[in-house]
Amino acid sequence: MKAVVTVMPKQEVLDPQGKAIQRAAGALGHAGVQDVRQGKRFEITLDAADREKAEALLDELAEKLLSNPVIEDFQVESIEA
Amino acid sequence: MSALREPEVDLALAREHGLTDEEWRNILEILGRTPTFSELGIFSVMWSEHCSYKSSKVHLKTLPVDGEHVLQGPGENAGAVAIGDGLAVIFKIESHNHPSYIEPRQGAATGVGGILRDIFTMGARPVASLDSIRFGPLDDARHRFLLRGVVDGIGGYGNSVGVATVGGETQFHPCYRGNILVNAFNLGVVEADKIFKARASGAGNPVIYAGSKTGRDGIHGASLLASAEFDDTTESKRPTVQVGDPFTEKCLIEACLELMKTDAVVGIQDMGAAGLTCSSFEMASNSGTGIEMDLDRVPQRAENMTPYELLLSESQERMLLVAQAGREDEVCEIFNRWDLDAVVVGRVTGDGRMRVRWHGETVVDIPVDPVARNSPELRRPTSEPRGLREQQKLDLTAVAPEEDPDEALEALLDTPNLGSKAWIWRQYDQLVQGNTVIGPGGDAALVRIKREDGSATDKAVALAVDCNPRFCALDPYVGAQAAVAEAARNVACTGARPLALTNCLNFGNPEKPEIMWQFAEAVRGMGDAARVLGTPVISGNVSLYNETDGQPIHPTPTIAMVGLLEPWERHAVAHFREAGRPVVLLGENREELGGSEWLALRRGVEGGAPPRVDLEAEARLHDLLGRAVRVGLVDVAHDVSDGGLAVALAECTFSAPDGAALGARIELDDGIRVDALLFGESTGRVVTTTDDPVGLLELAAEHAVPARAIGVTGGDRLRIGRPGGAPPWIDRPVSELRDVWAAALPRRLEVE
């Protein structure tokens, strides 16, 4: 199976990287760029008996390994057979 | 525009905010009415332990805070001491324990950011940081993770912002399993007549907000908010850990220092704990004025923030300042040039009230002084912990003598507490700004002082941070004295004269009489030591409630000492430099094993009375060191502390920054048991080398400091034994000892 997981800084947490990109966009003359938030995308190939098991595995992986749950949220975007 | 929907304020809500019934009655009396929700939030943070020091104040008042060189004692953002030629240094240490346990990287990083702001707020350029950090044992994966995260956070923030981390201390003990300690120190340099303070004087002067935008960071009572029928804001939207941005901080440093060269600034304060609330109240209270503020003007990162959130947010990298009327554009322009927001959010008033508007509505209208000054002052009950007297009793005759000193030395050097900390400090930029004379790994760091225009001086400051929590647990009075004495001794070992200290008092729950007793005793010990050593307490921080599941940490009064050395070229180092040099021991070896690493490691006992501290003798020893280094009699000086004389001698042989090893042959004939002689931790001792032992012994006699030649440097082995032909107790190649010492941390950390 192939799955995609995204990890983003929590909505209300300061994202210095996103802020730096937004500023740089302004420096390039794109004053219209008002806010940028930067996260991560994981493409994972896995071997799981069924979709339910895959979801459970991805949730655990995302919470314990891929994200820092204190300051980040994660989302399993897709799972394809 | 959404109307303000706030929970109804009553006693129950006040209790949820951590206020007592008595405090609630005080609030009603002060206001003559029920507070608004925002006002309740303000009272609860201003009267919290963290902001009001209500449990500790009564004890802290007893500390010596004055000295002829002290320009600013406790009460401002940080303390200041004059170092001559119109210059001053500003310094403070502060805890960031709880956030670092929740999120080690960001917690430690924002701890560094916060202490830097305390320093440059006063007009000083931050030049050197120290970090005192404590964890549970490293066989616990969680604590390996915490150590890695904290070190990464300190380095990540400190390195990016361009301030050198020049030293610190790291310890491991099971008592920190549930509560790690992260205490961050910074020192800055300023011209003595250009120190800025937290003032809001001059009715009509503009109040300016500068720096990062305000978000919902670290708002206290997050759990309360989540249950308070706002909209359906989820818990995930309300982080209690803040994320720092060192690049914004760097801009803030430069903007503030540039601004302070103008005469447009009346007063300035960083927004730390309790954010906008604490900073505005303190500034107004310090000047006997009031402030009017319009929250709609505050730069906001999140949407739909309530007045409660805006007032209590702890977003990082923000400053509040009061400018001369008519100069607001000039001030804002400087911040804008550094890419920082700066807006006028209000003005100073003459009526002593804090008035805050939001969406045209007055949400706060309270008198400043009763909130800022008349905060509660508690005399909490104290009682000596039961069983402590028993624990202090140690019958040495019942402790089996060390059967293999050679092996014991190796075992001690292999402990995380005594092993090399290079794994940690290699991750820190120790040299940025180019003033580091002695970096991490010595007794004290030594940092050259330059003026703001870059011109050199012949001054340097020596910096050390110390505490032995095991001593403090066994006897907080003596333990705190030992911490002050050791920090001063470390500073003196470079040749510097100890000037003043700052402290970070980490303790458990003050509502327990045993903890409060530890606190009171430690403060008493610190005060007595500071008085005798002539090093006033000029700033500090108290961190209470460091306990989990009823298990408190050992009392940990961390002491950071600052000394002055002039000219800095003439200084001593902590490692042997030349072969053939006589080794002279200053101080006395006593039969003291209580509270020692040896006793804990080799006999599994954390007991006995800690070694006694003779403060008068310490003062004489520090004077002697300053004199001896200045006249060129001593070129190496290393203090004897954790692990005792054998460990101190071993460190002298292998801790040169370039990794070079230089052995020594040492002969001791004290009439005390050999394990106490080698591994006892008696205070007031320093290992030195000299090219004129007769001259040094004479000078020591003049200072009434016991001193004697104990051997000579040279070769590639460390040999310690009795005079005469008896086989030595310790006889090892230095390189072997060094390899064990160097691997102590890496071999425990590089397991995953």
Side-chain angles (χ1 to χ4, degrees):
Chain A
M1 271 185 244
K2 287 191 184 297
V4 173
V5 177
T6 56
V7 173
M8 292 295 293
K10 283 191 197 229
Q11 201 45 246
E12 305 288 349
V13 163
L14 176 69
D15 173 16
Q17 296 182 101
K19 198 171 95 182
I21 296 167
Q22 186 261 337
R23 287 236 176 105
L28 281 175
H30 304 298
V33 180
Q34 291 178 344
D35 191 27
V36 178
R37 297 183 71 72
Q38 178 185 326
K40 291 175 224 167
R41 172 189 160 100
F42 298 87
E43 297 175 351
I44 301 165
T45 307
L46 72 166
D47 192 5
D50 55 40
R51 200 182 162 81
E52 213 169 288
K53 292 224 166 62
E55 267 173 27
L57 170 66
L58 288 166
D59 275 349
E60 189 188 333
L61 211 59
E63 176 154 359
K64 292 193 176 157
L65 184 62
L66 307 182
S67 77
N68 175 352
V70 180
I71 51 175
E72 292 170 328
D73 290 328
F74 66 86
Q75 177 94 39
V76 178
E77 300 288 346
S78 64
I79 305 177
E80 282 168 26
Chain B
M1 192 188 290
S2 63
L4 183 57
R5 284 184 297 138
E6 292 191 319
E8 185 150 340
V9 176
D10 56 16
L11 176 59
L13 191 65
R15 283 181 181 154
E16 277 182 62
H17 272 72
L19 289 160
T20 65
D21 292 17
E22 196 193 332
E23 286 163 357
W24 169 249
R25 281 193 298 276
N26 273 341
I27 294 170
L28 295 181
E29 199 175 306
I30 288 168
L31 293 178
R33 61 175 164 80
T34 305
T36 66
F37 187 51
S38 294
E39 288 169 343
L40 181 70
I42 289 174
F43 277 104
S44 88
V45 294
M46 291 296 291
W47 288 0
S48 69
E49 189 66 59
H50 189 82
C51 292
S52 76
Y53 293 87
K54 58 185 167 188
S55 302
S56 54
K57 243 189 315 198
V58 60
H59 301 285
L60 299 177
K61 277 180 188 168
T62 65
L63 292 171
V65 297
D66 298 318
E68 55 182 71
H69 54 296
V70 176
L71 301 176
Q72 177 65 56
E76 276 291 332
N77 285 295
V81 290
I83 56 168
D85 296 328
L87 290 171
V89 289
I90 294 200
F91 60 89
K92 187 181 181 183
I93 188 166
E94 201 163 69
S95 64
H96 229 219
N97 303 337
H98 187 65
S100 302
Y101 189 73
I102 307 285
E103 209 315 283
R105 189 178 196 284
Q106 295 301 336
T110 52
V112 173
I115 193 66
L116 289 172
R117 282 194 297 286
D118 278 334
I119 303 307
F120 70 78
T121 297
M122 297 191 69
R125 176 172 292 279
V127 298
S129 292
L130 305 173
D131 296 282
S132 166
I133 54 181
R134 291 185 163 80
F135 302 89
L138 286 177
D139 55 12
D140 182 338
R142 166 113 188 121
H143 283 268
R144 292 195 295 273
F145 162 78
L146 288 168
L147 173 66
R148 286 194 192 99
V150 164
V151 171
D152 191 31
I154 291 170
Y157 203 100
N159 298 356
S160 306
V161 83
V163 177
T165 301
V166 296
E169 57 164 355
T170 310
Q171 281 185 335
F172 305 90
H173 191 278
C175 74
Y176 302 110
R177 223 184 261 279
N179 289 81
I180 63 170
L181 299 185
V182 174
N183 296 175
F185 167 97
N186 187 265
L187 173 136
V189 182
V190 65
E191 283 180 41
D193 59 354
K194 295 208 174 119
I195 295 174
F196 283 81
K197 295 183 182 172
R199 295 283 179 276
S201 50
N205 280 338
V207 176
I208 297 173
Y209 170 115
S212 291
K213 292 177 173 39
T214 298
R216 291 188 177 93
D217 302 89
I219 293 171
H220 111 107
S223 57
L224 170 96
L225 280 168
S227 63
E229 294 183 311
F230 276 115
D231 44 3
D232 44 3
T233 327
T234 57
E235 188 61 33
S236 72
K237 280 190 175 177
R238 304 194 177 277
T240 50
V241 172
Q242 309 116 48
V243 171
D245 179 358
F247 299 102
T248 300
E249 179 106 333
K250 174 65 176 165
C251 292
L252 204 51
I253 294 177
E254 299 304 334
C256 286
L257 294 182
E258 183 180 331
L259 180 65
M260 287 161 170
K261 285 183 194 152
T262 72
D263 55 355
V265 181
V266 173
I268 180 163
Q269 162 94 319
D270 84 297
M271 293 190 227
L276 194 51
T277 297
C278 212
S279 51
S280 53
F281 269 89
E282 282 178 10
M283 290 176 80
S285 173
N286 287 344
S287 306
T289 55
I291 286 179
E292 254 179 20
M293 246 187 315
D294 186 349
L295 292 179
D296 299 332
R297 297 198 199 158
V298 171
Q300 296 169 34
R301 197 174 78 229
E303 284 170 20
N304 300 324
M305 289 188 67
T306 66
Y308 184 98
E309 291 170 329
L310 286 165
L311 284 164
L312 300 185
S313 161
E314 297 188 355
S315 292
Q316 298 289 300
E317 290 100 20
R318 302 181 301 159
M319 307 291 261
L320 194 69
L321 57 121
V322 170
Q324 303 281 4
R327 315 267 311 253
E328 38 278 80
D329 287 350
E330 188 185 333
V331 171
C332 293
E333 218 167 83
I334 290 177
F335 282 109
N336 292 342
R337 192 140 38 79
W338 289 97
D339 226 349
L340 297 164
D341 281 318
V343 287
V344 175
V345 291
R347 61 185 188 93
V348 178
T349 62
D351 65 358
R353 293 188 82 83
M354 182 68 56
R355 270 192 217 90
V356 180
R357 281 190 313 278
W358 177 83
H359 291 194
E361 205 179 312
T362 298
V363 290
V364 173
D365 182 2
I366 48 184
V368 169
D369 258 7
V371 183
R373 281 186 194 223
N374 304 0
S375 56
E377 179 173 312
L378 304 177
R379 285 178 183 277
R380 293 195 187 275
T382 64
S383 83
E384 188 181 306
R386 234 184 288 163
L388 186 63
R389 294 285 164 98
E390 278 308 302
Q391 215 189 338
Q392 286 173 349
K393 279 183 199 142
L394 178 69
D395 178 8
L396 273 186
T397 59
V399 176
E402 175 57 59
E403 59 283 354
D404 188 345
D406 209 89
E407 191 205 27
L409 174 61
E410 180 172 327
L412 283 165
L413 292 174
D414 178 51
T415 61
N417 282 340
L418 300 183
S420 167
K421 305 299 187 294
W423 183 90
I424 293 170
W425 49 255
R426 285 223 176 103
Q427 301 183 50
Y428 302 151
D429 189 332
Q430 309 140 31
L431 301 173
V432 61
Q433 296 187 21
N435 296 319
T436 309
V437 181
I438 301 176
D443 279 24
L446 194 62
V447 179
R448 274 189 318 183
I449 298 294
K450 272 196 300 225
R451 291 181 184 276
E452 179 64 12
D453 66 7
S455 61
T457 72
D458 57 1
K459 300 174 199 299
V461 284
L463 316 171
V465 59
D466 285 295
C467 181
N468 184 325
R470 196 180 283 138
F471 290 177
C472 294
L474 292 169
D475 186 334
Y477 176 73
V478 174
Q481 285 189 330
V484 175
E486 186 183 343
R489 198 185 315 129
N490 280 328
V491 161
C493 278
T494 64
R497 181 168 65 90
L499 284 182
L501 67 88
T502 177
N503 64 84
C504 194
L505 304 174
N506 308 276
F507 288 77
N509 179 353
E511 293 157 37
K512 293 184 181 169
E514 297 77 28
I515 301 289
M516 211 54 225
W517 179 85
Q518 291 176 335
F519 185 86
E521 284 294 285
V523 171
R524 191 166 69 86
M526 174 170 58
D528 284 353
R531 261 182 290 272
V532 176
L533 298 181
T535 53
V537 180
I538 65 157
S539 58
N541 163 246
V542 177
S543 170
L544 300 175
Y545 297 97
N546 288 292
E547 53 180 89
T548 298
D549 301 329
Q551 286 301 307
I553 59 165
H554 278 354
T556 313
T558 310
I559 304 292
M561 184 71 71
V562 173
L564 178 65
L565 182 65
E566 196 172 10
W568 66 264
E569 284 92 343
R570 193 154 267 186
H571 61 265
V573 297
H575 55 273
F576 291 151
R577 299 209 253 213
E578 268 182 68
R581 281 286 166 101
V583 179
V584 171
L585 176 68
L586 308 177
E588 261 180 303
N589 302 319
R590 294 189 290 260
E591 198 167 86
E592 294 173 311
L593 280 169
S596 65
E597 283 283 344
W598 176 83
L599 191 63
L601 180 72
R602 302 289 279 183
R603 296 295 174 260
V605 177
E606 294 201 18
R612 77 190 158 81
V613 180
D614 181 341
L615 294 170
E616 304 285 348
E618 285 283 352
R620 292 194 298 272
L621 172 67
H622 305 167
D623 281 349
L624 167 65
L625 283 164
R627 179 85 184 278
V629 171
R630 197 159 51 246
V631 300
L633 267 177
V634 159
D635 63 340
V636 172
H638 180 39
D639 107 291
V640 179
S641 56
D642 303 1
L645 184 56
V647 167
L649 286 163
E651 288 166 347
C652 287
T653 64
F654 57 56
S655 62
D658 61 359
L662 178 57
R665 182 184 285 262
I666 304 295
E667 291 183 343
L668 300 165
D669 61 352
D670 300 59
I672 60 175
R673 52 187 284 174
V674 172
D675 41 20
L677 177 61
L678 295 173
F679 307 117
E681 299 181 8
S682 298
T683 62
R685 294 181 297 166
V686 172
V687 172
T688 65
T689 68
T690 176
D691 58 0
D692 177 7
V694 175
L696 179 57
L697 295 189
E698 268 173 22
L699 190 65
E702 257 175 56
H703 284 76
V705 173
R708 65 200 144 116
I710 57 169
V712 63
T713 62
D716 55 7
R717 300 179 78 83
L718 175 64
R719 289 175 59 120
I720 309 177
R722 253 184 260 281
W729 301 304
I730 289 166
D731 184 8
R732 292 290 293 274
V734 171
S735 57
E736 265 181 47
L737 294 173
R738 182 187 57 203
D739 291 348
V740 169
W741 172 78
L745 278 190
R747 79 174 185 83
R748 288 176 172 86
L749 287 164
E750 284 156 19
V751 290
E752 280 105 338

